[in-house]
Amino acid sequence: ENAPAGGDDGLVYEEGTWTPVVSDISNNAATLSTANGSYTRIGRFVMVAYQVVISSKGTMTGNYVHLKGMPYDHPTESYTGTGMVDAWGNFDTNYANLMWDVSSTADRFWLTGVAAGGDASYLYVPTGAIGGNEHFKGAVIYQLL
């Protein structure tokens, strides 16, 4: 049932800031020279916006780059959210598209992409694509249980 305009329908409404963290699967974090984040929660839906600049990948290793630190964990089903990277640059691998996988692990998003000049399939972006001085920004929308 919809509440009348201006009425109190009991929905949670919250705005705030958060600090993005870029890490590998073992939680080894990159050093960020810029780590900006904001969020809006309306009921079960959360939208986070972020901007990061990586100055050093530090001890990050392996096949996955994660974005962590968001204000609320998300469900682990594959259909509970979507994430976009609307601007990026200086990756050690060229990508024609980047986006966030919001499934699998509740406390992080998984960076995926389509390699430039590759086939049309997306893949998980490995830490080898990060060398330092990468930047990216965008938004992720997901729902809570």
Side-chain angles (χ1 to χ4, degrees):
E1 177 178 64
N2 294 329
D8 180 6
D9 60 7
L11 284 179
V12 172
Y13 180 88
E14 181 179 317
E15 294 179 346
T17 60
W18 64 290
T19 303
V21 174
V22 175
S23 75
D24 65 12
I25 199 165
S26 298
N27 298 318
N28 297 309
T31 301
L32 304 179
S33 58
T34 301
N36 297 321
S38 64
Y39 74 93
T40 301
R41 175 182 174 187
I42 302 172
R44 293 179 45 223
F45 289 91
V46 179
M47 185 188 87
V48 297
Y50 63 89
Q51 175 192 26
V52 298
V53 177
I54 299 173
S55 57
S56 168
K57 78 173 182 179
T59 60
M60 288 176 58
T61 61
N63 295 323
Y64 308 102
V65 174
H66 297 145
L67 186 65
K68 298 175 49 177
M70 65 272 200
Y72 295 96
D73 286 354
H74 60 81
T76 57
E77 290 81 7
S78 62
Y79 56 84
T80 59
T82 187
M84 66 177 178
V85 180
D86 60 24
W88 68 91
N90 297 330
F91 279 78
D92 288 4
T93 302
N94 291 327
Y95 290 95
N97 192 4
L98 290 173
M99 60 231 127
W100 295 103
D101 178 354
V102 183
S103 64
S104 180
T105 311
D107 71 339
R108 65 194 67 205
F109 309 131
W110 300 62
L111 186 61
T112 64
V114 175
D119 65 27
S121 298
Y122 78 92
L123 52 88
Y124 288 99
V125 173
T127 60
I130 306 281
N133 202 34
E134 292 77 14
H135 59 87
F136 48 99
K137 70 178 189 70
V140 181
I141 300 169
Y142 59 99
Q143 57 184 317
L144 306 175
L145 288 176

